[in-house]
Amino acid sequence: MPRLKTLFRLLRRLVVLVCIAAVLLTALPPLAREADRLLYPRKYSRQVEQWAAEYELDPLLVYAFIRTESGFDPAATSSVEARGLMQMTEETFIWLRSKIAPDEGLTFDDLYDPDVSIRFGCYYIHLCMERYGGDVATAAAAYHSGWGTVDNLLRMEEHSTDGQTLKGFPYNQMHHYVEKITASYAVYTRLYGG
């Protein structure tokens, strides 16, 4: 009889443990997904959606750039004085302003305004995507290191087989940046994509 009671207690504990495991297995994926959404937010969604649509970009790609560039901090300033959510240098800002806002009187300081930063950043991503045939990694390398650097690499067989896309990123900072953009974009797509 004592063996039967012990067996019954063990069986009851096993049933309780199985029930707890079932609850955890059911609850953990949504909790993990919510934790990921906290790490990969979609802040400034009105501006991102507007300017991504205007410049024919996937908004999730724009979020990946903002997350990588500034961590969604509109007051971010880099060591090379790049500013705002999308971390644009003054030289790039002036060049883009001549194309999309020549009569608006915008200054470099206006990049701290999320709408201005996202507008200019989206336009620049659009130009990079267009120039490099829609290849996200090559466009990201150009956004980070400039067209001249990427164009030079594209002329070298060891870095490009087609002269249009890079097959590798030979500079550590460029390589790290491209990895961050593409990985972040993949997570955004997993979390929010259709």
Side-chain angles (χ1 to χ4, degrees):
M1 209 50 149
R3 280 189 184 167
L4 193 57
K5 282 184 180 182
T6 303
L7 186 60
F8 187 68
R9 264 188 260 140
L10 286 173
L11 187 58
R12 197 172 3 170
R13 285 182 185 163
L14 182 62
V15 168
V16 169
L17 287 173
V18 167
C19 289
I20 290 171
V23 168
L24 287 176
L25 287 174
T26 305
L28 285 180
L31 289 175
R33 189 176 201 86
E34 285 310 307
D36 282 347
R37 287 177 185 233
L38 290 173
L39 294 172
Y40 292 84
R42 292 185 299 177
K43 295 180 180 179
Y44 307 102
S45 59
R46 182 188 58 78
Q47 294 95 329
V48 169
E49 298 291 330
Q50 175 188 349
W51 294 113
E54 175 75 19
Y55 296 117
E56 301 173 337
L57 297 170
D58 181 352
L60 300 176
L61 179 61
V62 178
Y63 290 122
F65 271 88
I66 296 172
R67 182 180 187 276
T68 301
E69 287 289 347
S70 67
F72 292 92
D73 177 5
T77 303
S78 76
S79 60
V80 295
E81 290 300 311
R83 295 183 176 178
L85 289 170
M86 301 198 73
Q87 290 293 283
M88 190 168 291
T89 63
E90 188 168 21
E91 180 182 355
T92 301
F93 169 76
I94 291 168
W95 175 65
L96 293 174
R97 183 183 62 193
S98 73
K99 295 184 165 305
I100 63 172
D103 302 323
E104 292 184 35
L106 295 170
T107 68
F108 186 46
D109 284 338
D110 289 320
L111 285 175
Y112 291 123
D113 175 342
D115 192 56
V116 173
S117 185
I118 293 169
R119 175 186 176 196
F120 276 66
C122 282
Y123 183 64
Y124 191 43
I125 295 169
H126 166 79
L127 292 177
C128 291
M129 291 288 283
E130 199 172 68
R131 184 177 183 97
Y132 300 107
D135 183 69
V136 170
T138 304
Y143 190 98
H144 177 265
S145 301
W147 291 1
T149 300
V150 170
D151 288 350
N152 285 336
L153 291 171
L154 288 171
R155 287 191 275 278
M156 299 178 205
E157 283 185 35
E158 64 267 26
H159 300 300
S160 177
T161 54
D162 62 4
Q164 178 87 16
T165 56
L166 291 173
K167 63 181 179 183
F169 306 93
Y171 308 121
N172 285 338
Q173 281 189 324
M174 177 192 284
H175 179 80
H176 183 65
Y177 181 83
V178 170
E179 279 188 342
K180 285 174 74 174
I181 291 290
T182 55
S184 185
Y185 184 37
V187 173
Y188 272 104
T189 301
R190 177 176 55 82
L191 290 174
Y192 302 105

